[in-house]
Amino acid sequence: RGVVPVFDTNMQQIGALEAGTSYKTTIQLLSNLLGTNIAMLLKENRVEQATWSRPEEALKAAWDCFVEATSSDSLEYLLNTNIDFGANNDLKLRSQLVKTEAGTFAVIHIGIRDYIGQRDDHSKPVGRLFLWYPADELLRNLESNTWL
């Protein structure tokens, strides 16, 4: 979301213009295009600073994140798993296989920065972009096509 001041012809500030959007539409379009599930997770303290209220039904992850938008309910299986964010919870792209009660998922995630983080060169992400897809069939195929 972005906010800019609005001035009258005498350069007196008379208000502010705010424009913003949800990630939901963009994530659904990307998910359909890429053929994978996508979610945007934001650090809870950043969400609290940037919004007036949060929906009661909001999903939270064990990693102190708020689920801003997701293309699939299967994200719930990943929310309380032990996903590797690196030693410093950095901005690097990471991938791993994650076993859940619903099966194994291939998970790819990358830390994201907001405008302030870019401007001030913060190394800690304000959230993470997640991509995931079921990997059980791929693993079975790998096992059956590998000579032991």
Side-chain angles (χ1 to χ4, degrees):
R1 112 183 159 187
V3 180
V4 295
V6 175
F7 299 96
D8 66 11
T9 55
N10 296 323
M11 294 308 293
Q12 294 278 346
Q13 185 174 353
I14 58 172
L17 173 66
E18 179 177 358
T21 186
S22 168
Y23 285 103
K24 189 158 186 70
T25 304
T26 304
I27 282 185
Q28 197 60 56
L29 287 170
L30 279 174
S31 177
N32 293 340
L33 181 69
L34 298 175
T36 188
N37 300 304
I38 302 175
M40 179 63 71
L41 282 70
L42 300 175
K43 288 287 193 182
E44 188 161 13
N45 63 345
R46 294 304 292 244
V47 171
E48 297 296 333
Q49 293 169 6
T51 61
W52 290 274
S53 66
R54 186 164 26 121
E56 291 298 320
E57 69 277 2
L59 291 174
K60 280 181 59 177
W63 330 297
D64 232 11
C65 286
F66 166 82
V67 179
E68 168 61 28
T70 182
S71 64
S72 171
D73 291 339
S74 65
L75 175 66
E76 291 189 49
Y77 296 113
L78 298 170
L79 290 180
N80 295 305
T81 59
N82 189 21
I83 292 182
D84 178 18
F85 296 124
N88 298 317
N89 192 10
D90 54 34
L91 298 164
K92 292 181 182 175
L93 178 76
R94 299 189 187 289
S95 64
Q96 68 185 97
L97 292 173
V98 178
K99 291 185 181 190
T100 73
E101 63 190 51
T104 302
F105 292 91
V107 177
I108 302 159
H109 58 91
I110 187 168
I112 57 169
R113 285 196 291 192
D114 59 1
Y115 168 75
I116 294 170
Q118 268 188 299
R119 182 191 68 196
D120 298 344
D121 199 27
H122 294 171
S123 61
K124 295 276 186 194
V126 297
R128 301 200 82 75
L129 176 64
F130 266 74
L131 293 90
W132 74 98
Y133 53 91
D136 287 327
E137 186 176 338
L138 292 170
L139 291 170
R140 279 192 298 275
N141 288 341
L142 176 65
E143 186 176 307
S144 69
N145 292 323
T146 304
W147 287 2
L148 297 177

